[in-house]
Amino acid sequence: MLFKDPAATGRVAVSASPEAAYRVISDPPLMAGLAAETVGARWLDGAGHAEVGARFRGYNRNGFRRWATTCEVLEADPGRRFSYFVRAPLRVPISRWQYDIAPGEDGGCVITETNWIKVPLWFIPFAILITGIANRPGANQDHIATTLERLKAHLEGAPAPA
């Protein structure tokens, strides 16, 4: 299930500067509170901020199912792009996530979140068993919509939707 094209993507315009958006997006522990599936994150190996090569652990849930992944920052371009690669235990590749930030109207910005699935075919049955999600592209599309809605509310100071 190695996609060259994105498996899921979404876009939102926010009334916040690209720099303010980047500060939130590039902070995995903060973003975990806005995400649909991720419930926690922590930097690894002494890292404390986004820079290429920094790693963090993501903690995820779907109902009673819980799992962790290890992520490595691929791009950390303040005000423009933040991306990372996700691996399951034993370094099994899972996906790439990318946030692009472009200037918008009136000092705001437009944030595009994109996901590529990189999981090897042999691992798909295990991924379904672990996560309980058979349609990962569809789930990620829904998760992106939820995350972007919450991110917009956070950046604009409104109460985040449930």
Side-chain angles (χ1 to χ4, degrees):
M1 201 170 198
L2 194 60
F3 287 98
K4 289 183 182 179
D5 294 328
T9 191
R11 180 174 297 172
V12 68
V14 299
S15 296
S17 71
E19 294 76 21
Y22 180 83
R23 280 192 297 276
V24 174
I25 290 166
S26 65
D27 183 344
L30 177 57
M31 279 296 288
L34 305 174
E37 187 174 64
T38 303
V39 296
R42 67 178 176 86
W43 290 106
L44 299 173
D45 310 321
H49 66 278
E51 63 182 342
V52 173
R55 295 181 334 126
F56 62 93
R57 174 122 332 115
Y59 300 94
N60 309 286
R61 61 105 184 100
N62 178 29
F64 68 88
R65 290 177 163 88
R66 306 273 191 267
W67 68 97
T69 58
T70 302
C71 308
E72 181 178 345
V73 175
L74 300 174
E75 297 171 275
D77 187 359
R80 298 178 48 116
R81 177 178 286 167
F82 178 68
S83 70
Y84 57 93
F85 196 83
V86 179
R87 293 184 185 276
L90 303 176
R91 299 192 41 84
V92 175
I94 299 297
S95 63
R96 175 189 169 107
W97 288 88
Q98 181 170 300
Y99 294 85
D100 289 298
I101 307 165
E105 296 181 19
D106 300 324
C109 64
V110 176
I111 302 166
T112 303
E113 183 177 4
T114 308
N115 169 253
W116 291 264
I117 302 215
K118 303 292 186 179
V119 66
L121 290 175
W122 65 266
F123 191 73
I124 292 172
F126 297 105
I128 293 169
L129 182 65
I130 293 165
T131 67
I133 298 171
N135 178 4
R136 178 48 69 179
N140 285 356
Q141 189 66 50
D142 291 344
H143 295 162
I144 286 172
T146 299
T147 300
L148 290 177
E149 184 179 356
R150 291 175 180 171
L151 178 60
K152 177 180 176 70
H154 177 83
L155 288 167
E156 293 179 351

